[in-house]
Amino acid sequence: MSSDAYNPFASVISAAAAMAGSVSAIVPARNEQAVIAACISSLAGQPEIAEILVVNDQSTDATADVVRSLTAKIPKLRLLESGGLPEGWVGKNHALWVGVQKAKGDWLLFTDADAEHQPDSASRAQKIAQEQNAALVSFSPEQVTGTWYEKALIPYIYLRLAKQFSYEKVNDPNSRAAAANGQFLMIRRDVYDAIGGHASVAGEVLEDVALAMRAKAAGHRISFSSGKGIVRVRMYRSFHAMWQGWKKNLYRLMGGTPWAVFREMESNLPWIPALLILLGLKYPILLFLGVLFLIVRQTGYGLDLSRNQYPFSFIFYYVPAVALYVGVLWASYRSHVHGRIEWKGREYSVGASESAR
């Protein structure tokens, strides 16, 4: 436990002192030419953000050129190069680590290249940190969905994550539960350094959750909440990218064990309605019951959507949502069991998670 955990007055003084300082925004970017300008622009107008450090992670497109074209207009913007990827590092983690080495702020804001911030995102995070005496503040961004498959899968996964990582438990200092979203994660620099930063989670595909776990285990308060009206993200712009992205993360997010995967699949697949509908081909009354049960499950999904600020109309994507979710969860399980995952043209070895224990 950190000394802050034993001396609340010292913790309050430390948080207030850090609040008076600046924020360094660090953006890892690998082949992000289509979205990086919007991200930078949404950060540039925020007075709390003293510098924007974009770390070009060996992009093969025009990402670096786009950033360079903006540096003349945005004096606080800097372009850094990640260099080669060291053994044992995930590319994003290494890019963020490179950015931190050049950062000067008392707070570090890690955000993705496809995130668009409202003009007060940093100030709202600072206000929460001050009010709650939190050393780490993270928002789960509003998810922008364009295609049918985004509208089906992404809300469904985030509803599952809301059950897995409830804000109430994560924010409870007496609970061991910890989580954060790397699309918006702001942490005090001294706390980041004390828990080892990204070097301590170098090989983690869920580096945001791992950092939150380390911060909370060290006795620091974290705040995790909805980012609706604060930051928005369209995570994927193709089916392939969406599939690969969740294939990389979902197994660990849902427990990281074969038994957890089995429980997820068993609880999400509508076994009874499907069986009744199948039997209904011979016995019409069972077909009626099967459809009725399916409608009940679909309605429950719609209510969950509304409670979590998604359009109720997404209820009509329920059946493809379940099919996609089970499919990508199984694919994620298979990848992790075989010890290899792929993301953005790189292949990583994965094993038992140790860094967050």
Side-chain angles (χ1 to χ4, degrees), residues 28-279:
R30 179 173 171 83
N31 297 333
E32 304 285 4
Q33 65 178 25
V35 296
I36 190 65
C39 176
I40 292 170
S41 297
S42 70
L43 295 168
Q46 301 192 44
E48 296 79 13
I49 297 177
E51 58 181 353
I52 305 169
L53 306 175
V54 176
V55 185
N56 180 35
D57 185 16
Q58 298 183 308
S59 297
T60 56
D61 66 359
T63 295
D65 294 333
V66 172
V67 178
R68 287 191 195 98
S69 71
L70 294 172
T71 54
K73 306 172 189 176
I74 305 173
K76 60 183 175 182
L77 172 63
R78 295 172 60 195
L79 175 65
L80 306 175
E81 297 291 338
S82 68
L85 183 63
E87 184 71 25
W89 282 79
V90 169
K92 178 182 178 180
N93 300 348
H94 181 247
L96 290 171
W97 178 255
V98 168
V100 169
Q101 306 317 302
K102 301 294 184 181
K104 301 174 183 175
D106 296 315
W107 286 85
L108 304 172
L109 170 56
F110 303 121
T111 188
D112 286 354
D114 52 8
E116 293 186 39
H117 297 249
Q118 292 301 305
D120 60 350
S121 70
S123 66
R124 289 175 72 172
Q126 284 190 322
K127 183 179 179 182
I128 289 172
Q130 192 168 33
E131 291 175 346
Q132 300 182 16
N133 188 30
L136 185 156
V137 178
S138 184
F139 298 124
S140 182
E142 178 181 350
Q143 297 297 322
V144 179
T145 54
T147 61
W148 72 266
Y149 50 81
E150 292 171 275
K151 293 175 182 177
L153 183 59
I154 290 176
Y156 195 92
I157 286 179
Y158 272 90
L159 293 188
R160 298 306 302 165
L161 291 176
K163 297 181 185 297
Q164 188 83 1
F165 303 104
S166 76
Y167 297 141
E168 182 180 2
K169 288 184 179 178
V170 169
N171 296 336
D172 181 358
N174 297 316
S175 168
R176 295 183 60 187
N181 189 313
Q183 294 162 336
F184 189 111
L185 192 162
M186 194 174 82
I187 185 170
R188 265 178 28 211
R189 176 62 185 265
D190 61 326
V191 172
Y192 176 87
D193 290 339
I195 63 174
H198 284 90
S200 68
V201 296
E204 292 284 351
V205 294
L206 295 179
E207 87 295 336
D208 43 12
V209 176
L211 282 176
M213 291 177 69
R214 293 182 68 84
K216 195 167 189 181
H220 301 286
R221 297 197 67 153
I222 62 178
S223 173
F224 187 37
S225 59
S226 170
K228 188 174 179 64
I230 301 173
V231 58
R232 63 203 301 261
V233 171
R234 185 177 182 186
M235 295 177 67
Y236 307 112
R237 285 167 169 74
S238 72
F239 184 87
H240 176 75
M242 183 185 75
W243 188 267
Q244 289 299 110
W246 289 118
K247 181 180 174 183
K248 170 174 67 79
N249 292 336
L250 199 55
Y251 175 69
R252 287 284 178 84
L253 284 169
M254 291 304 155
T257 66
W259 176 241
V261 170
F262 171 78
R263 286 202 315 266
E264 270 297 296
M265 295 179 70
E266 187 275 331
S267 63
N268 282 272
L269 280 171
W271 299 102
I272 294 176
L275 181 60
L276 289 173
I277 290 171
L278 184 63
L279 293 174

